[in-house]
């Protein structure tokens, strides 16, 4: 599975730690930046990740900023993106099972790195349940 990952300066540290983990777990990762802790604007990194998922270049996106909200709001401007903000494993599981989220958004300033790793693993290994949830997901588009 190909994964697009990106985030701003607040997410850089966790992104740097997550990439080798993802590769160890067998995923192919494209890093859309940022590449250090210098202050940047999160949309500059959220849009490329969203575009990579929307185009099919990558199947899943992972975005990280301070609250996880800036990158999620930006990614959700893209028609084919369903980005979910996630702060624990249960939410990670539910946004895959019920919402068919294709982008995981995490708040680096409010979760530990260990939590971020567990959330990521859960998100990537949980399937969409379909059924009544498919009908609801179809109704999201406007
Ligand atoms: C950066 O300071 C911070 O605003 C950003 O990482 C994010 O939390 C925005 O939603």
């Amino acid at each position: 599975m190909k994964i697009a990952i990106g985030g701003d300066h607040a997410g850089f540290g966790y992104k740097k730690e997550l990439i080798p983990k993802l590769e160890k777990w067998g995923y192919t990762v494209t890093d859309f930046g940022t590449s250090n802790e210098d202050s940047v604007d999160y949309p500059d990194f959220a849009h490329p990740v969203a575009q990579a998922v929307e185009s099919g270049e990558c199947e899943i996106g992972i975005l990280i900023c301070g609250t996880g909200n800036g990158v999620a709001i930006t990614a959700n401007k893209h028609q084919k993106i369903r980005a979910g903000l996630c702060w624990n494993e249960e939410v990670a599981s539910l946004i895959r099972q019920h919402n068919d989220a294709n982008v995981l958004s995490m708040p680096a300033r409010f979760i530990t790195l260990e939590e971020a790793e567990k959330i990521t693993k859960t998100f990537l290994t949980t399937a969409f349940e379909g059924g009544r949830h498919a009908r609801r997901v179809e109704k999201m588009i406007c």
Side-chain angles (χ1 to χ4, degrees):
M1 184 192 283
K2 289 184 182 170
I3 293 175
I5 193 167
D8 69 358
H9 50 286
F12 171 72
Y14 281 17
K15 178 169 68 65
K16 195 176 83 176
E17 298 293 331
L18 273 177
I19 290 171
K21 284 268 177 191
L22 289 164
E23 289 170 341
K24 196 174 143 199
W25 294 338
Y27 299 101
T28 302
V29 184
T30 304
D31 182 3
F32 287 90
T34 187
S35 54
N36 56 52
E37 290 180 349
D38 294 346
S39 182
V40 290
D41 301 334
Y42 54 80
D44 295 341
F45 306 93
H47 282 305
V49 167
Q51 278 156 2
V53 175
E54 205 167 31
S55 70
E57 178 188 335
C58 294
E59 288 154 85
I60 290 289
I62 298 175
L63 288 167
I64 316 168
C65 71
T67 65
N69 271 311
V71 288
I73 292 168
T74 305
N76 279 320
K77 299 290 181 195
H78 295 250
Q79 274 293 318
K80 292 184 184 170
I81 298 302
R82 293 176 300 280
L85 174 62
C86 213
W87 58 93
N88 65 33
E89 283 180 86
E90 191 177 3
V91 177
S93 182
L94 287 169
I95 63 172
R96 284 292 307 128
Q97 289 173 354
H98 292 186
N99 312 123
D100 198 18
N102 53 12
V103 173
L104 167 65
S105 174
M106 291 187 286
R109 290 180 177 155
F110 297 91
I111 58 174
T112 65
L113 176 60
E114 191 186 349
E115 285 168 335
E117 288 172 3
K118 286 182 182 168
I119 287 166
T120 301
K121 183 90 171 172
T122 299
F123 183 87
L124 293 172
T125 55
T126 305
F128 179 47
E129 283 181 1
R132 68 186 188 282
H133 301 296
R135 185 181 66 241
R136 292 164 187 171
V137 168
E138 279 165 24
K139 288 184 176 181
M140 287 178 184
I141 295 167
C142 61

